[in-house]
Amino acid sequence: MKADPRGVLTGEHFIDGDHACCEGALAAGARFAAGYPITPSTEVVERFAARVPTVGGTFIQMEDELAASITLQGAVWGGAKAFTVTSGPGFSLMMEHIGYAAMTETPCVFVDVQRGGPSTGLPTLPAQADMMQARWGSHGDYAVIALCPNSPQECFDLTIKAFNLAEEFRVPVMFMMDEVVGHMTEKVVIPPADQIEVTPRKHTKKSVEEFEPYNTNGDMVPEIAHAGEGYKFHVTGLTHDERGYPNMTPQTQDRLVRRLQNKITSAADRIAMFEEADLNDADVVVVSYGITSRVAQRAIDTAREQGLKVGKLRLITAWPFPEKKIRELAGRVKAFVVPELNLGQMALEVERAAGGQAKTFSLTHAGGSVHHPEDILKVIVEASR
Amino acid sequence: MQLTEIRIAGFGGQGVILSAMVLGKAASIFEKGYATVTQNFGPEARGGACSAQLIISDTPVAYPYVTQPDIMVVMSQEAYNRFAPELKDGGTLIVEQDLVRVTGLDKKKEIKVYGIPATRIAESLGKKMVLNSVMVGFFTALTGLLDPDAVRKAVADSVPSNFRELNLQAFDKGFECGSTASPNTVETELEAESVTEAG
């Protein structure tokens, strides 16, 4: 369906990534956010708090991130599209409820504008060190989707995508920005509402008598009914059967947990988004995401000017990891170079997917700034040998 | 509009960030170019040193940071001391001449220095606050980088409506000064002035 025009600020704007993310959420139909302010993410909800009353919605500043991350799920079960916004320390506090969203199949979006960590770390400076946390941060087996924008325009476009994926798969989607992308200002084009595709809630068409909250009817994703609509309603973090009742048998656990994982992994190819260039003749492929992809671009350009056969693979979807693409490339390139603002997180995934067919060079950076393009160039040169 | 790296620096409250936003908006929205603005975030931005980086180009900007600015606008001595050595050879330095003493510039770098008493001009127009629009006007005339109409539109679009007229006047005044300015006259003026004050 098309976006509700009330939430769409059609036009050309010169705004930062945080503000663009907020506009994306509004365009996607988000009418509820709960948050607790934290640099460098606060501008997202600051704008949302100012904008949402004009389109008919609510922002609540909660007492902390634990509260924010569960309140938004209450809003979802009440029928709203909802999200929260945070950065590292707050993201850590939200982990319990990210698991809850995965277990209860609550469609929602968690925005993490990454800053240097661990702990309080570097409040105002960039990092990309929450990438593994986004995938594995809550306990137990589950799967999520994580997207990595690299510009304010993508903060807009991909926030809409994040909400759409959340609805399609009934899963929490991690929106993994970084401080540079969040605070960088560029032109953002917001199209008219009738050009924005929005995925509606997978609401049941069944009668009240027929409906079972977690019966997938042979599909991977169950239909939903909201609280107060007259349907059977039971939402629990306990292992539950198709009726939503707690059921502690290994059989129910196996069926539920495998489905929670498989509904994402089986659709990985369809979810995977990446930007590629010059891969056909490449000896070396630079795999990067977020702000680092733009730093790497300068190194790639210089390397190609020097005659090196370097290709680019920019991850837009980090999770599910596009391992098929990496495996396919690994069979025909010498090496992958993976610069990232952490001590080597997604590089491990690249190495795993490459399966020993091509070498992986992890180019680490503890955060606080971005790589020097020259440092990336040096590793490209080394990897090309 | 080939790739141009610009740094604007001063102290908090001078409209440093807004200046960069206005120029970036002019380039990417009112002209068909690309612009990226990044700014220093941190405790130092509150009342202390403040700096914005602006990259303007006719192709999309990948690397978002300034490495060697082609143009630098400085509105405080601290900003001058900290950033002036970064300037590219043959680059352009624009200073708030009442607040910045240009010293120790390497002659071999052949930097073109322009000065304007932007704060004083803003005060004469009625509000010190509009000194950044004076600067933006001066910048626009001197550098010829952007279409003056586009920048004027960006000024009007970026300031609160009740201060729009005043900011446009400030822009025009700065532009007028920039149209007749000649480079490398600042140091002499500064020295002459300080002598007068002492006398």
Side-chain angles (χ1 to χ4, degrees), chain A residues 129-146:
Chain A
D130 307 348
M131 298 306 296
M132 282 292 175
Q133 186 184 25
R135 173 65 186 86
W136 304 105
S138 200
H139 59 277
D141 283 312
Y142 63 102
V144 297
I145 296 171

Side-chain angles (χ1 to χ4, degrees), chain A residues 12-14 43 124 179-180 183-187 291 294-295 297-298 370 373, chain B residues 5 21 24-25 28-29 32 35-37 39 41-42 61-65 67:
Chain A
E12 293 188 335
H13 308 271
F14 197 62
E43 291 90 334
T124 63
E179 186 275 336
V180 183
H183 281 161
M184 167 199 287
T185 303
E186 290 183 333
K187 179 164 87 170
I291 187 55
R294 297 178 57 159
V295 179
Q297 187 63 51
R298 183 178 274 196
V370 297
Chain B
E5 297 189 349
M21 293 293 180
K25 191 183 271 187
S28 65
I29 295 194
K32 291 297 152 207
T36 300
V37 174
Q39 51 194 291
F41 271 86
V61 178
Y63 187 73
Y65 291 118
T67 41

Side-chain angles (χ1 to χ4, degrees), chain A residues 22 25-36 44-45 48-49 51-53 55-62 67-85 106-111 159 163 167 201:
Chain A
C22 169
L26 286 165
R31 294 295 179 267
F32 185 92
Y36 185 79
V44 182
V45 283
F48 192 82
R51 287 264 288 131
V52 81
V55 302
T58 305
F59 169 70
I60 306 180
Q61 180 172 322
M62 301 304 299
S69 58
I70 200 66
T71 301
L72 80 94
Q73 296 184 48
V76 170
W77 285 101
K81 286 194 180 180
F83 71 121
T84 189
V85 177
T106 303
C108 55
V109 175
F110 289 79
V111 178
T159 298
F163 275 93
E167 295 297 339
R201 180 123 325 149

Side-chain angles (χ1 to χ4, degrees), chain A residues 57 118 181 249 341:
Chain A
V181 167
T249 64
L341 297 180

Side-chain angles (χ1 to χ4, degrees), chain A residues 202-221:
Chain A
K202 210 173 148 61
H203 197 279
T204 188
K205 309 234 171 4
K206 288 187 174 165
S207 68
V208 167
E209 293 73 31
E210 285 175 308
F211 178 71
E212 289 186 323
Y214 288 96
N215 190 338
T216 61
N217 306 299
D219 192 4
M220 293 292 263
V221 183

Side-chain angles (χ1 to χ4, degrees), chain A residues 37-299:
Chain A
I38 183 168
T39 305
S41 74
T42 307
E43 291 90 334
V44 182
V45 283
E46 201 172 36
R47 186 175 179 113
F48 192 82
R51 287 264 288 131
V52 81
T54 67
V55 302
T58 305
F59 169 70
I60 306 180
Q61 180 172 322
M62 301 304 299
E63 66 267 33
D64 60 24
E65 288 87 347
L66 288 158
S69 58
I70 200 66
T71 301
L72 80 94
Q73 296 184 48
V76 170
W77 285 101
K81 286 194 180 180
F83 71 121
T84 189
V85 177
T86 191
S87 185
F91 199 47
S92 292
L93 289 174
M94 290 180 180
M95 286 301 137
E96 162 64 14
H97 293 144
I98 287 171
Y100 189 82
M103 187 60 145
T104 57
E105 302 181 68
T106 303
C108 55
V109 175
F110 289 79
V111 178
D112 176 17
V113 188
Q114 297 171 85
R115 66 190 219 184
S119 189
T120 315
L122 304 169
T124 63
L125 298 169
Q128 298 177 304
D130 307 348
M131 298 306 296
M132 282 292 175
Q133 186 184 25
R135 173 65 186 86
W136 304 105
S138 200
H139 59 277
D141 283 312
Y142 63 102
V144 297
I145 296 171
L147 307 180
C148 298
N150 81 346
S151 67
Q153 181 68 54
E154 278 199 350
C155 287
F156 175 80
D157 296 337
L158 294 179
T159 298
I160 299 173
K161 185 81 188 169
F163 275 93
N164 288 351
L165 289 167
E167 295 297 339
E168 183 181 351
F169 292 96
R170 282 191 59 182
V171 71
V173 175
M174 308 296 123
F175 197 63
M176 305 304 288
M177 295 167 58
D178 55 67
E179 186 275 336
V180 183
V181 167
H183 281 161
M184 167 199 287
T185 303
E186 290 183 333
K187 179 164 87 170
V188 174
V189 181
I190 300 184
D194 62 10
Q195 290 172 25
I196 298 174
E197 210 47 57
V198 165
T199 305
R201 180 123 325 149
K202 210 173 148 61
H203 197 279
T204 188
K205 309 234 171 4
K206 288 187 174 165
S207 68
V208 167
E209 293 73 31
E210 285 175 308
F211 178 71
E212 289 186 323
Y214 288 96
N215 190 338
T216 61
N217 306 299
D219 192 4
M220 293 292 263
V221 183
E223 294 175 338
I224 200 168
H226 297 126
E229 291 177 341
Y231 288 89
K232 293 180 197 104
F233 187 82
H234 194 221
V235 183
T236 176
L238 284 166
T239 296
H240 44 269
D241 62 17
E242 284 69 12
R243 299 169 304 157
Y245 286 112
N247 182 320
M248 304 299 138
T249 64
Q251 291 78 9
T252 304
Q253 166 77 355
D254 185 82
R255 203 160 64 236
L256 174 60
V257 176
R258 283 191 196 280
R259 183 175 61 74
L260 293 182
Q261 182 128 312
N262 288 344
K263 69 176 176 178
I264 304 302
T265 51
S266 67
D269 290 346
R270 189 153 57 82
I271 298 169
M273 289 182 287
F274 39 75
E275 182 192 344
E276 52 180 84
D278 303 317
L279 291 181
N280 286 337
D281 69 340
D283 289 330
V284 171
V285 177
V286 177
V287 182
S288 60
Y289 54 93
I291 187 55
T292 307
S293 66
R294 297 178 57 159
V295 179
Q297 187 63 51
R298 183 178 274 196

